[in-house]
Amino acid sequence: MIDRRIGLVRRRLKILSEFADSGQPEVRMDTNDGLHVQQIHSCAEPEPAYYMQQQQSLAKVLTPCRYQHGVSRNKLLDYSYSTGDLIVCNRGIDEFVRWESEVRILKVDLPDEAFRAIAEEAGAETVEISSSTQFEDKRVDALISAIQSEEQAGGLSGRLYMDSIAQAIASALVQVRGNLKRALPQYHCGLTPMQLSRVKQVVYGQIDSEISLQDMAAAAGLSTNYFNQMFRKSTGQAAHQFVLNARVEHAKDLLSSSRLRMIDIAISCGFQTSQHFARVFRLLCAVTPTEYRRTLGKSAASSEDAEQLHNSNKMSEKGLYAFNSKGRYESHIHR
């Protein structure tokens, strides 16, 4: 079925090719509740940004780029991409991303309806797609190329054509990255993943500002009283504790990667004074910010000293070997 759809797409590409070079302006395509296509242009960023994908998404790299990515602000991994590389994005997972170079990406959000149709056909309740930072599939690549041609043509073929492409991509992803679920997860208490995601976006997005309980409750669409109870059930923490921990984790990152003054770090993390910052930091970490930074400096120096000692030992070993090979001091060495 997928191969038949790809054949139809390729025949359409012959029709669309004459429009691809016609000088039509690029458009952002959004077929209401269907396929959503967006070209993203981003410059290098000094700090990692928090993201949460609400829909199942694919990304095609349009220019070579480098970026750091991870589920924690302090534990990012380096990735490099070439033009044409594909990424299957995480969905419903907290992520931090920092672009290390200018980048252009074609982002394709797939409609939930496409995956629901596949799940129903297979007799399942839902389907989950595993993410991939380096995804290779000729079928999906051809389908995304069809989307690009349709975009350049100004959406000439209409909604039905894009719905067909979305369904074909969803089918291909389910085949190679899918996991069919026989029962939908039930949330008997606490916030739903989407509610929790929106609350975290408020916290991480306003980490340098005052954050009220009303702001967090509004993000979840709940009253402050009910939100407090549901948030504690979901995270094991009161809302204010979660915010303080987020501020301190951000402070740790700044302490380890910059030489900012303590007052500047305090303000960047939402504390009004350096004294307040120091009290909270000591309460949560058992050391002051100054002691924490000093410890980091000692660790870095110790690592450097260990490397120098290792190199020195290697040079000494090479020197002994040279004397032995020439027969000098042979009896002295064997003692």
Side-chain angles (χ1 to χ4, degrees):
M1 182 174 64
I2 294 174
D3 292 335
R4 185 168 64 253
R5 286 173 177 161
I6 293 175
L8 291 172
V9 168
R10 285 173 176 165
R11 286 194 290 273
R12 278 294 182 95
L13 281 174
K14 294 181 180 179
I15 300 173
L16 293 171
S17 60
E18 62 189 69
F19 291 92
D21 299 321
S22 62
Q24 294 277 350
E26 291 185 347
V27 296
R28 175 171 144 172
M29 299 176 61
D30 187 353
T31 54
N32 297 324
D33 295 328
L35 194 72
H36 179 80
V37 182
Q38 184 180 10
Q39 288 203 21
I40 299 174
H41 176 209
S42 181
C43 298
E45 299 171 340
E47 294 291 334
Y50 171 78
Y51 289 93
M52 164 73 85
Q53 295 290 342
Q54 305 296 340
Q55 287 185 272
Q56 184 58 61
S57 302
L58 281 167
K60 181 174 183 177
V61 179
L62 303 180
T63 58
C65 63
R66 302 186 314 278
Y67 84 111
Q68 293 182 317
H69 167 267
V71 295
S72 169
R73 185 190 295 271
N74 300 321
K75 296 180 181 179
L76 302 178
L77 299 177
D78 293 306
Y79 295 92
S80 296
Y81 290 99
S82 302
T83 301
D85 285 351
L86 298 178
I87 304 168
V88 180
C89 305
N90 283 317
R91 178 183 183 177
I93 296 178
D94 298 327
E95 296 177 292
F96 291 88
V97 175
R98 185 177 77 85
W99 297 107
E100 297 184 304
S101 64
E102 184 178 7
V103 62
R104 289 184 183 274
I105 286 178
L106 182 73
K107 183 169 176 285
V108 180
D109 293 331
L110 298 167
D112 289 339
E113 184 56 38
F115 294 100
R116 278 196 292 267
I118 296 170
E120 289 175 4
E121 188 175 348
E125 293 288 345
T126 187
V127 61
E128 292 180 356
I129 303 298
S130 301
S131 64
S132 175
T133 55
Q134 294 283 353
F135 180 65
E136 295 182 6
D137 191 289
K138 292 181 178 179
R139 298 169 299 172
V140 174
D141 193 29
L143 292 165
I144 292 181
S145 295
I147 292 173
Q148 290 178 280
S149 297
E150 176 73 355
E151 185 182 30
Q152 290 170 346
L156 176 71
S157 299
R159 169 70 183 268
L160 186 58
Y161 176 59
M162 297 303 289
D163 285 348
S164 299
I165 291 180
Q167 194 64 60
I169 293 177
S171 298
L173 285 179
V174 170
Q175 281 190 355
V176 296
R177 307 291 303 175
N179 183 19
L180 292 168
K181 297 289 186 179
R182 298 299 170 183
L184 287 170
Q186 300 295 320
Y187 301 102
H188 299 292
C189 62
L191 302 175
T192 66
M194 289 301 115
Q195 285 176 313
L196 189 57
S197 168
R198 290 194 292 268
V199 173
K200 288 181 177 180
Q201 286 176 340
V202 169
V203 173
Y204 293 127
Q206 302 178 28
I207 200 72
D208 61 344
S209 307
E210 185 69 23
I211 302 172
S212 69
L213 185 61
Q214 289 79 6
D215 293 335
M216 298 174 70
L222 301 173
S223 67
T224 54
N225 183 51
Y226 190 58
F227 167 79
N228 233 355
Q229 300 175 43
M230 295 300 101
F231 187 85
R232 186 184 287 274
K233 288 181 179 179
S234 296
T235 65
Q237 295 177 300
H240 73 280
Q241 293 173 326
F242 181 87
V243 172
L244 285 179
N245 278 317
R247 295 191 194 281
V248 168
E249 286 301 312
H250 184 43
K252 287 181 179 179
D253 188 45
L254 294 178
L255 287 166
S256 63
S257 62
S258 71
R259 301 303 302 172
L260 291 172
R261 298 179 306 164
M262 287 299 172
I263 183 60
D264 294 327
I265 293 177
I267 293 173
S268 297
C269 298
F271 298 98
Q272 295 184 353
T273 66
S274 56
Q275 291 79 10
H276 182 210
F277 167 50
R279 284 197 301 272
V280 173
F281 195 99
R282 186 181 183 88
L283 178 66
L284 296 180
C285 304
V287 293
T288 66
T290 301
E291 291 169 341
Y292 181 84
R293 173 176 272 175
R294 189 180 300 123
T295 301
L296 292 174
K298 288 181 179 179
S299 298
S302 298
S303 298
E304 185 177 346
D305 290 342
E307 183 177 357
Q308 290 177 353
L309 179 60
H310 177 70
N311 292 336
S312 176
N313 289 337
K314 289 180 67 176
M315 291 177 65
S316 299
E317 292 170 2
K318 289 181 180 178
L320 287 174
Y321 179 80
F323 279 117
N324 284 332
S325 66
K326 295 179 181 179
R328 297 177 182 176
Y329 306 110
E330 193 73 33
S331 59
H332 175 73
I333 292 172
H334 283 296
R335 289 190 198 120

